[in-house]
Amino acid sequence: MNRQERENMIKFLSNVREMSFEKLMVLTDADLDYLYTRAYNTHEAYEEVI
């Protein structure tokens, strides 16, 4: 994962899931990708309902 992609994932998670930026910074790429995928899919499904 490149740096910009990781930064975008962290910004998304800190806004949508209200997770602390500091905790997200220390996650591995795999953990960050997993959390991002789950949060994005949930957020996308929620937006379709509204």
Side-chain angles (χ1 to χ4, degrees):
M1 154 182 333
N2 67 33
R3 183 176 177 172
Q4 186 63 47
E5 185 180 26
R6 182 176 174 83
E7 185 176 326
N8 291 340
M9 287 180 173
I10 289 172
K11 285 180 183 178
F12 177 80
L13 286 170
S14 65
N15 289 331
V16 173
R17 298 283 302 263
E18 298 179 4
M19 299 176 78
S20 79
F21 192 77
E22 292 79 20
K23 287 184 179 181
L24 293 169
M25 291 294 291
V26 298
L27 293 176
T28 65
D29 286 350
D31 290 336
L32 186 60
D33 187 43
Y34 174 77
L35 287 173
Y36 175 80
T37 301
R38 290 200 53 198
Y40 185 80
N41 290 339
T42 303
H43 183 72
E44 189 176 67
Y46 179 74
E47 289 294 321
E48 285 180 8
V49 173
I50 293 177

